């Protein structure tokens, strides 16, 4: 009887979560939109995780990673891309109930008002990361987990600042209820902390230690996936992985962490600047970076022979992450400049007509960062000076952004 009630509740939640605007905490009061004032969303998420544990008897919901303390906080951020959470699983089990539960999390993550509740539930982030880590994943579990993490990644800052500011400062409409104090810190102190200055770790850690641990585990896992050999990774999972990294890189709070990104990740991102849609064994394969310059300035040739074969979704995400790393991480610039065809691929992107409009701007920003400090980049760039002159005669963007 209890089992039927649970399954009925699960089916109801699955049905409701398919709604485009289903909210975990649909309260009418404006003050009640404060995520810290209502335990309802966290309780729902915890209940769904317990159902997941029940559905997979051999799967133990992983414990939270080692606590972050003021003593090891800086070291943890320095090694953010390397501290992969330990998992005892080589192949996680699967069942329809587990897939349904992860479908609910995925559906909820498409509603903007739910994303903070999901992102700030550390146990959920750790659990989804565990499914992503599985070496032989069941594709439904993997893809639902990756989509959910991608959707909530805008609220996952590695240093924990956003988590603390939300805890203290939301909402501003009810100061008596929300004006909590901890270790002498008050909301006024946080409100006066300039956005461009780091927040004290002694203020962050009492509220965000579990949150930071969960995000660090996710970041290291994404780095591991992004640097896998291409023959062992599914294209869609790679695309979601890079898209999630891109969201994390877009947060100003994460600048300091991406400034410590390993060279291995940056070099692999260069390889993603050109992935052929059909694979290099396809009869339609032609590496566009080897096309003669005159072909590259003819729109119909560029579209049919080059742009039409580029996996630009992966390219644009990789380009965005690479820009953040190269701009903030000077030590990796030589390694990036020395990677095969790096400068050549960036120059090719200057004439692209597919993908995001800002892809060319990202390529220019990376080129400028490399040329500012890397002797190897300057040497390689000089080899293409004649080609750039030819391109500039046919392409105003190249003329204004490169030659000038």
């Amino acid at each position: 009887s209890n089992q039927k009630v649970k399954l009925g509740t699960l089916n109801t939640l699955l049905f409701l979560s398919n709604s485009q605007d289903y909210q975990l905490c649909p309260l009418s009061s404006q003050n009640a939109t404060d995520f810290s004032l209502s335990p309802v969303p966290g309780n729902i998420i915890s209940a769904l995780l317990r159902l997941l544990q029940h559905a997979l008897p051999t799967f133990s919901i992983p414990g939270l990673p080692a606590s972050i303390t003021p003593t090891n906080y800086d070291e943890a951020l320095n090694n953010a891309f390397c501290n992969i959470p330990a998992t005892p699983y080589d192949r996680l089990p699967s069942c329809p109930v587990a897939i349904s539960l992860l479908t609910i999390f995925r559906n909820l993550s498409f509603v903007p008002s739910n994303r903070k509740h999901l992102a700030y539930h550390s146990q959920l982030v750790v659990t989804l990361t565990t499914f992503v880590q599985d070496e032989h994943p069941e594709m439904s579990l993997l893809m639902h987990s990756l989509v959910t993490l991608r959707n909530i990644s805008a609220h996952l800052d590695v240093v924990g600042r956003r988590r603390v500011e939300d805890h203290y400062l939301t909402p501003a409409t009810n100061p008596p209820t929300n004006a909590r104090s901890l270790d002498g810190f008050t909301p006024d102190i946080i409100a006066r902390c300039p956005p461009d200055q780091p927040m004290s770790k002694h203020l962050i850690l009492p509220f965000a230690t579990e949150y930071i641990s969960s995000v660090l585990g996710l970041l290291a896992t994404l780095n591991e996936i992004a640097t896998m050999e291409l023959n062992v990774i599914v294209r869609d999972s790679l695309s979601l992985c890079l898209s999630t990294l891109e969201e994390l890189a877009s947060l100003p709070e994460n600048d300091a962490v991406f400034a410590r990104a390993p060279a291995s990740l940056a070099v692999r991102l260069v390889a993603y600047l050109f992935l052929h849609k059909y694979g290099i064994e396809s009869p339609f394969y032609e590496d566009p970076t080897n096309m003669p310059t005159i072909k590259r300035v003819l729109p119909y040739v560029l579209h049919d022979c080059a742009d039409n074969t580029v996996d630009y979704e992966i390219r644009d995400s990789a380009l965005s992450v690479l820009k953040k790393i190269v701009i903030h991480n000077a030590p990796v610039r030589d390694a990036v400049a020395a990677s095969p065809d790096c400068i050549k691929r960036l120059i090719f992107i200057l004439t692209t007509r597919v993908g995001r409009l800002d892809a060319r701007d990202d390529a220019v920003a990376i080129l400028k960062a490399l040329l500012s400090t890397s002797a190897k980049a300057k040497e390689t760039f000089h080899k293409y000076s004649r080609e750039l002159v030819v391109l500039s005669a046919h392409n105003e963007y190249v003329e204004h952004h490169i030659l000038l």
Side-chain angles (χ1 to χ4, degrees):
S1 177
N2 288 337
Q3 185 70 9
K4 290 181 179 179
V5 171
K6 289 180 180 178
L7 289 176
T9 303
L10 177 62
N11 288 332
T12 302
L13 276 172
L14 183 58
F15 173 77
L16 290 174
S17 70
N18 278 316
S19 168
Q20 292 296 316
D21 58 354
Y22 180 77
Q23 300 180 29
L24 280 168
C25 192
L27 302 175
S28 58
S29 167
Q30 183 179 2
N31 292 345
T33 59
D34 173 20
F35 113 134
S36 64
L37 293 180
S38 174
V40 173
N43 291 343
I44 293 175
I45 295 170
S46 297
L48 291 173
L49 287 176
R50 287 194 294 272
L51 283 175
L52 182 63
Q53 172 72 82
H54 182 76
L56 302 174
T58 61
F59 171 61
S60 176
I61 297 293
L64 291 168
S67 296
I68 305 296
T69 66
T71 304
N72 65 11
Y73 177 76
D74 294 327
E75 180 183 358
L77 295 185
N78 285 333
N79 299 316
F81 288 87
C82 306
N83 294 329
I84 300 175
T87 175
Y89 304 104
D90 175 60
R91 183 185 294 274
L92 290 172
S94 175
C95 72
V97 174
I99 294 175
S100 295
L101 286 163
L102 290 182
T103 302
I104 291 173
F105 287 130
R106 185 204 65 183
N107 292 347
L108 292 174
S109 71
F110 283 107
V111 181
S113 60
N114 292 335
R115 290 172 184 165
K116 277 187 183 180
H117 302 296
L118 297 169
Y120 292 166
H121 196 290
S122 302
Q123 196 71 67
L124 173 64
V125 175
V126 171
T127 300
L128 295 176
T129 301
T130 301
F131 282 109
V132 172
Q133 283 181 282
D134 188 9
E135 293 184 5
H136 302 88
E138 203 287 330
M139 287 308 298
S140 295
L141 298 178
L142 172 64
M143 298 306 292
H144 290 340
S145 298
L146 279 171
V147 170
T148 304
L149 289 168
R150 193 270 313 274
N151 289 345
I152 67 176
S153 56
H155 301 288
L156 297 175
D157 75 288
V158 182
V159 298
R161 176 170 183 149
R162 291 195 175 199
R163 175 68 178 86
V164 173
E165 288 179 338
D166 283 335
H167 188 102
Y168 274 118
L169 299 179
T170 307
T173 56
N174 191 7
T177 304
N178 199 48
R180 292 180 290 273
S181 176
L182 180 70
D183 296 337
F185 293 100
T186 66
D188 291 337
I189 294 176
I190 302 177
R192 290 195 300 268
C193 183
D196 58 341
Q197 293 184 10
M199 185 181 291
S200 168
K201 60 186 176 184
H202 297 285
L203 173 60
I204 291 175
L205 291 177
F207 273 139
T209 178
E210 293 181 349
Y211 167 80
I212 293 173
S213 296
S214 66
V215 180
L216 287 172
L218 170 62
L219 190 61
T221 300
L222 293 174
N223 174 59
E224 183 182 37
I225 295 174
T227 54
M228 283 182 177
E229 295 298 326
L230 287 173
N231 61 344
V232 298
I233 187 170
V234 178
R235 185 267 171 199
D236 288 345
S237 62
L238 174 61
S239 179
L240 284 169
C241 168
L242 293 176
S243 179
T244 306
L245 275 174
E246 181 183 11
E247 286 289 341
L248 292 172
S250 69
L251 300 180
E253 293 87 352
N254 290 339
D255 285 354
V257 175
F258 277 86
R260 303 176 177 95
S264 58
L265 174 60
V267 170
R268 180 53 61 88
L269 291 173
V270 172
Y272 295 148
L273 297 184
F274 175 72
L275 285 184
H276 199 279
K277 283 182 180 180
Y278 312 110
I280 61 175
E281 297 179 358
S282 166
F284 304 104
Y285 176 77
E286 180 182 1
D287 187 343
T289 60
N290 290 329
M291 290 176 62
T293 302
I294 191 61
K295 282 190 174 183
R296 298 242 312 272
V297 299
L298 299 176
Y300 67 91
V301 175
L302 183 64
H303 178 268
D304 293 339
C305 299
D307 274 355
N308 194 43
T309 64
V310 174
D311 192 332
Y312 56 83
E313 291 182 355
I314 287 180
R315 180 201 68 189
D316 291 350
S317 292
L319 197 63
S320 181
V321 180
L322 182 62
K323 181 182 75 169
K324 175 60 71 82
I325 293 175
V326 167
I327 289 176
H328 294 279
N329 191 341
V332 307
R333 292 174 190 167
D334 281 331
V336 171
S339 59
D341 294 331
C342 171
I343 301 298
K344 199 175 186 180
R345 294 181 184 205
L346 290 170
I347 291 175
F348 168 73
I349 293 173
L350 300 179
T351 61
T352 188
R353 292 171 179 245
V354 296
R356 300 178 194 165
L357 294 176
D358 60 355
R360 297 183 300 178
D361 297 336
D362 287 347
V364 170
I366 294 171
L367 281 170
K368 289 181 176 179
L370 294 176
L371 293 171
S372 67
T373 60
S374 173
K376 178 66 176 177
K378 294 177 182 178
E379 178 186 349
T380 307
F381 187 79
H382 180 70
K383 295 178 181 178
Y384 296 101
S385 57
R386 179 175 297 181
E387 180 176 356
L388 285 168
V389 171
V390 175
L391 286 176
S392 67
H394 298 81
N395 190 299
E396 291 184 1
Y397 187 89
V398 175
E399 179 183 3
H400 289 291
H401 291 79
I402 297 296
L403 293 189
L404 297 182

